[in-house]
Amino acid sequence: MKRIFLSADIEGTCGIAHWDESLPEKQDYARFQRQMTREVAATCEGFNKAGVEEIFIRDGHNNARNILAEELPENIEIMRGWGRDPWAMMTGIDESFDGVAFTGYHSAASWDGSPLSHTMNLGNNYVKINDELASELMINSLSASYFGVPVLLVTGDQMLCEWMNEACPGTLTVPVSHGVGNGSVSMHPEKAIRLIRETAEAAASLDPALCLFPMPEHFEVEINYRKHTDAKGNSFYPGARLDGTTSVIYESDDWLDCLKFFHFCM
């Protein structure tokens, strides 16, 4: 296995429990910026131990300038900042990669698996794909499958990992915490680092065919907005329709069309 694409978030890192720990302007952020970086580094180290040659890292949180690159192995490239394209947290993905890893990922909007549950932003109550509540992991796993790239590893909260175990059983997961109301119970951060490193090494030997996230033949995507005015305005996206007062629905057979809808309307 030569090339790995790694998309990293922060709200599913070990120990995180409050929005202040995810925002660069807040005092609590530095601690979890470092934990995010350490989990990315552990993933890289595990893959490298298994013989991976190149790792492309997509910083996918907030301003996309979180990961401390100097703490990573030298065989990485890292994309910081937003490309302003529909791939978002997956900018840079293409057919050249042998596998994808997701670190620090979190439960979907309206799930109770994390006190920081959301999907892409805080402006929606939920996002659905084919009538299933959709997480950022689901969206980005479909983007990987669009290019035929298997999802090898997911780290994050327990509910998200359990969902992935059902949706794509071949993918390895490392649940580092679980939500309890507005709180979170986590393992020791050093244990998380060790498990992530070991699981990444094991993930490099997986059968890619068993880790390809299922790609539907048709998509009906729905965004349910917190503000009815947002739904009204975004319902004018070409091909979209307003459903009730707070939901906008869009349909296509092409996943990239759906990503473009998300890009402009979410």
Side-chain angles (χ1 to χ4, degrees):
M1 187 165 290
K2 294 184 178 181
R3 301 189 75 213
I4 295 292
F5 186 100
L6 193 161
S7 177
D9 207 350
I10 203 171
E11 290 95 349
T13 55
C14 185
I16 198 165
H18 194 276
W19 288 107
D20 284 1
E21 297 169 337
S22 73
L23 300 172
E25 66 272 19
K26 298 295 186 178
Q27 184 177 356
D28 294 338
Y29 165 77
R31 175 184 173 192
F32 289 93
Q33 176 191 32
R34 180 161 177 76
Q35 183 64 20
M36 177 188 186
T37 299
R38 295 178 71 226
E39 293 182 11
V40 170
T43 305
C44 294
E45 290 162 6
F47 279 121
N48 286 346
K49 191 173 181 180
V52 168
E53 297 176 7
E54 301 175 18
I55 303 173
F56 183 95
I57 298 169
R58 177 70 181 103
D59 190 326
H61 172 65
N62 195 267
N63 59 15
R65 303 194 307 271
N66 307 276
I67 299 167
L68 305 172
E70 63 271 20
E71 298 189 15
L72 305 180
E74 290 188 7
N75 67 324
I76 63 101
E77 287 186 320
I78 183 167
M79 180 175 177
R80 304 173 71 245
W82 293 103
R84 298 301 301 159
D85 58 77
W87 302 106
M89 299 171 76
M90 297 296 285
T91 297
I93 188 70
D94 61 26
E95 299 91 342
S96 69
F97 291 95
D98 298 300
V100 167
F102 297 104
T103 63
Y105 269 59
H106 53 82
S107 286
S110 84
W111 290 7
D112 64 355
S114 166
L116 287 79
S117 295
H118 68 283
T119 301
M120 300 308 291
N121 58 56
L122 300 182
N124 60 73
N125 293 309
Y126 62 78
V127 177
K128 287 185 177 180
I129 299 174
N130 292 344
D131 208 34
E132 179 180 358
L133 289 170
S135 62
E136 293 167 15
L137 176 62
M138 183 181 187
I139 293 169
N140 295 339
S141 294
L142 285 166
S143 294
S145 287
Y146 187 85
F147 291 104
V149 184
V151 179
L152 304 178
L153 174 67
V154 173
T155 80
D157 67 65
Q158 182 176 331
M159 182 173 286
L160 185 75
C161 289
E162 289 176 349
W163 174 86
M164 192 65 174
N165 294 154
E166 294 184 8
C168 192
T171 300
L172 298 185
T173 62
V174 183
V176 298
S177 65
H178 67 272
V180 181
N182 199 37
S184 179
V185 177
S186 71
M187 64 177 62
H188 193 286
E190 293 297 335
K191 181 179 180 180
I193 295 302
R194 175 176 57 81
L195 290 177
I196 290 169
R197 184 185 297 113
E198 293 172 352
T199 308
E201 182 180 359
S205 300
L206 294 173
D207 182 348
L210 300 179
C211 304
L212 193 63
F213 193 83
M215 177 66 76
E217 294 182 358
H218 180 77
F219 298 94
E220 179 183 278
V221 298
E222 174 188 354
I223 304 173
N224 182 271
Y225 297 91
R226 295 185 186 277
K227 296 181 178 180
H228 66 86
T229 52
D230 289 339
K232 176 71 172 181
N234 288 323
S235 70
F236 290 96
Y237 182 86
R241 68 179 188 272
L242 188 66
D243 184 48
T245 60
T246 56
S247 282
V248 175
I249 293 175
Y250 178 83
E251 296 188 56
S252 178
D253 293 336
D254 188 338
W255 176 240
L256 181 54
D257 286 343
C258 298
L259 288 178
K260 291 175 182 177
F261 167 68
F262 288 151
H263 179 66
F264 286 101
C265 296
M266 183 160 63

